[in-house]
Amino acid sequence: MAALVFPTLPTVTLAVTGRRERFPVRRIFCVGRNYAEHTREMGGDPQAEPPFFFTKPADAVVESGRTIPYPPATTDLHHEAELVVAIGARGTMVCEDEATRMIWGHAAGNDLTRRDLQAEAKAARRPWDMAKGFDKSAVLGPIRPGPMPDAVLRCLVNDAIRQEARLSDMIWSVPAIIMALSRLVSLAPGDLIFTGTPAGVGPLNPGDICKVEIEGLQPATVTIA
Ligand code: MN
């Protein structure tokens, strides 16, 4: 192999519940509008819209427990509490059974969003990248291997509940999301999928502690400096 012009950065990894080995992160996909009430609060029609996807770079990952600066270029940083699916196998145009077998584990996640930039992008019909894929925008708890039974998802800001829903309230199930995404790209081990947020998204301010809790998983907590 040819020498490199500079050394590669280390692979982004996440802690795994109950294991010393870590999960290597490849790509981060996110589903827009996967809970009916949140779709309505963002001005959409939950019946009309198939799942759509956007991405964050792998190095946007922030592990639970960290303090991050208030991001630049926004005055309206929002929390979005989400179940995150960790993919453990390759798959292209998969059926439901194959989609289910590709699931390696799950984590609690917070899809941090520069809501003001997202609103500007929507109004100008521009991409969402700078609203969604900025540095330190993907807060993640440890990945728990295995299946995910139905559970309550909550977002707490300074211990006050801001978002609360059941995972079974999702419009598109996890296998349905994997099936749809695998028709757009070939999935591979290390890919993560943020599965969408329920109603109640709102601002985070300097000094806030934001905790995403999903029953059975370790939380994803971040402090805004
Ligand atoms: Mn989201």
Side-chain angles (χ1 to χ4, degrees):
M1 195 175 80
L4 302 174
V5 296
F6 50 76
T8 51
L9 293 168
T11 300
V12 174
T13 64
L14 281 168
V16 175
T17 304
R19 302 260 300 254
R20 283 184 63 180
E21 299 93 339
R22 293 174 64 84
F23 182 93
V25 178
R26 182 167 181 261
R27 297 176 297 184
I28 304 175
F29 298 97
C30 307
V31 182
R33 297 182 180 166
N34 199 25
Y35 291 82
E37 268 183 68
H38 174 63
T39 302
R40 286 185 209 104
E41 83 179 346
M42 299 306 286
D45 174 357
Q47 303 306 317
E49 299 179 34
F52 68 93
F53 299 92
F54 56 91
T55 63
K56 294 174 186 271
D59 63 6
V61 165
V62 176
E63 282 206 90
S64 182
R66 298 294 178 83
T67 297
I68 62 169
Y70 193 90
T74 185
T75 55
D76 198 19
L77 176 69
H78 272 208
H79 56 79
E80 293 193 357
E82 310 200 5
L83 175 71
V84 179
V85 179
I87 297 295
R90 289 190 176 276
T92 307
M93 299 206 286
V94 296
C95 67
E96 186 164 3
D97 285 354
E98 291 169 314
T100 302
R101 285 197 297 271
M102 287 165 64
I103 299 171
W104 193 88
H106 300 83
N110 193 343
D111 166 19
L112 293 178
T113 301
R114 296 196 279 213
R115 192 71 71 200
D116 41 3
L117 294 197
Q118 188 191 30
E120 284 172 24
K122 285 181 181 176
R125 296 172 171 265
R126 287 184 182 149
W128 290 8
D129 301 50
M130 293 301 121
K132 289 289 196 177
F134 54 96
D135 297 342
K136 301 182 170 63
S137 60
V139 183
L140 283 144
I143 297 174
R144 189 192 65 188
M148 184 75 223
D150 189 24
V152 174
L153 163 74
R154 273 192 207 91
C155 183
L156 299 97
V157 178
N158 305 326
D159 295 324
I161 297 177
R162 298 287 181 81
Q163 294 181 271
E164 187 168 37
R166 298 202 69 88
L167 299 179
S168 54
D169 294 337
M170 284 185 195
I171 297 169
W172 301 92
S173 69
V174 167
I177 290 166
I178 295 170
M179 289 167 66
L181 185 54
S182 80
R183 276 156 180 74
L184 296 164
V185 293
S186 292
L187 292 167
D191 288 339
L192 299 176
I193 308 171
F194 279 67
T195 58
T197 199
V201 299
L204 291 173
N205 295 302
D208 284 347
I209 300 172
C210 186
K211 182 180 192 180
V212 176
E213 288 182 342
I214 301 175
E215 291 170 323
L217 303 180
Q218 290 172 269
T221 302
V222 69
T223 302
I224 311 299

